[in-house]
């Protein structure tokens, strides 16, 4: 199976996939038993929430259980490998996220080939990156945050859902664009990162999450017309 670069990136951004499966398996009645949806991140992450919503929707329509199984770690690689090793009968699905596209270049040795071993099924969501900060951070706009980070070089830490995740890569891109020095703190999912943000253990995570009332949000893609501005405009 061959995918162009755009198709691969689309399939790796909030999608559901399964191990490469034969035509005979696809032609059989489906599902014949409970289906596992493997999530490579902790419960409460954006990928986990999407998988649970989709799993319930499929259960109601196909009259078979769709069970969510969290396998966090290694930027989603642990969950991906579990699906690759599962029987290719469509009863073990993978909730794919952006790290699946990133990991192929980030890790030297993987026990699978994502393009070869995983077949995309459907794109179920698309999210935008935002910067969330604890209210104790005095900055209220992107330029103010950049100035604050420069004045506190090396003292600000930022959280991500894990090494190789979109939050990690976008955080490093932000550092390059803005010329700031922040310390990356990887977590095993977005939910644990947000908990520590609320508690003040970290200052600013880059996550696929909406802001809660007790957090401050700014920095969206330039295509989003928000008054808080984009990173590109500020840097």
């Amino acid at each position: 199976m061959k995918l162009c670069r755009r198709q691969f990136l689309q399939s790796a951004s909030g999608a559901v996939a399964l191990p490469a499966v034969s035509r005979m398996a696809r032609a059989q009645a489906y599902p014949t038993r409970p289906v596992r949806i493997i999530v490579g991140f902790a419960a409460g992450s954006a990928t986990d929430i999407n998988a649970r919503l989709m799993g319930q929707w499929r259960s109601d329509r196909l009259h078979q259980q769709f069970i969510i199984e969290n396998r966090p770690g290694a930027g989603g690689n642990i969950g991906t490998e579990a699906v690759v090793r599962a029987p290719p009968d469509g009863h073990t699905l993978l909730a794919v996220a952006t790290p699946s596209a990133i990991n192929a270049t980030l890790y030297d040795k993987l026990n699978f080939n994502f393009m070869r071993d995983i077949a995309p099924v459907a794109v179920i969501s698309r999210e935008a990156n935002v910067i969330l900060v604890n209210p104790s951070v005095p900055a209220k706009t992107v330029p103010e945050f950049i100035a604050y980070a420069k004045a506190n070089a090396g003292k600000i830490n930022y959280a991500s859902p894990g090494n190789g995740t979109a939050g990690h890569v976008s955080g490093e891109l932000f550092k390059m664009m803005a010329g700031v020095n922040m310390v990356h703190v990887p977590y095993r999912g977005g939910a644990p990162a947000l908990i520590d943000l609320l508690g003040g253990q970290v200052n600013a995570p880059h996550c696929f999450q909406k802001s809660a009332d007790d957090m401050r949000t700014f920095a969206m893609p330039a295509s989003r017309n928000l008054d808080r501005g984009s990173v590109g405009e500020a840097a």
Side-chain angles (χ1 to χ4, degrees):
M1 179 176 184
K2 295 182 179 180
L3 292 176
C4 69
R5 180 176 178 274
R6 177 174 295 179
Q7 288 174 316
F8 171 60
L9 293 175
Q10 287 177 342
S11 69
S13 178
V16 176
L18 72 165
V21 59
S22 68
R23 292 181 181 179
M24 182 176 296
R26 286 196 295 265
Q28 295 173 350
Y30 175 84
T32 59
R33 62 178 185 276
V35 177
R36 293 189 304 157
I37 301 179
I38 305 296
V39 178
F41 302 94
S45 62
T47 307
D48 175 73
I49 293 171
N50 283 335
R52 293 181 186 278
L53 291 171
M54 184 198 64
Q56 184 60 53
W57 184 81
R58 299 305 296 172
S59 294
D60 293 341
R61 284 155 180 77
L62 297 179
H63 307 291
Q64 187 62 266
Q65 278 189 306
F66 280 69
I67 303 168
I68 309 303
E69 185 174 323
N70 296 91
R71 297 281 190 93
N77 285 330
I78 294 175
T80 300
E81 185 171 351
V83 175
V84 169
R85 294 181 179 275
D89 57 9
H91 289 82
T92 302
L93 305 178
L94 175 67
V96 180
T98 307
S100 297
I102 299 171
N103 289 340
T105 57
L106 186 64
Y107 292 86
D108 292 332
K109 295 181 180 180
L110 292 174
N111 296 323
F112 57 85
N113 183 311
F114 189 85
M115 295 286 285
R116 179 196 65 204
D117 298 330
I118 295 293
V121 175
V123 176
I124 60 174
S125 69
R126 294 182 181 180
E127 297 90 11
N129 274 333
V130 299
I131 296 179
L132 305 179
V133 299
N134 188 285
S136 63
V137 176
K140 295 183 179 180
T141 64
V142 177
E144 289 179 2
F145 183 73
I146 292 175
Y148 176 75
K150 288 183 176 180
N152 296 273
K155 298 179 182 179
I156 297 177
N157 48 31
Y158 79 92
S160 80
N163 288 321
T165 61
H168 177 204
V169 175
S170 62
E172 293 302 310
L173 178 61
F174 174 79
K175 289 168 57 177
M176 293 172 57
M177 294 175 63
V180 297
N181 179 18
M182 301 189 301
V183 179
H184 175 230
V185 181
Y187 285 77
R188 299 184 69 178
L194 288 174
I195 290 173
D196 275 6
L197 172 68
L198 290 169
Q201 282 75 33
V202 291
N203 305 110
H206 298 64
C207 300
F208 290 136
Q209 304 281 347
K210 287 191 67 176
S211 173
D213 291 338
D214 45 4
M215 289 187 286
R216 189 177 301 131
T217 307
F218 48 78
M220 295 288 287
S223 60
R224 305 296 182 102
N225 186 20
L226 297 183
D227 57 0
R228 291 182 177 87
S230 71
V231 173
E233 293 169 348

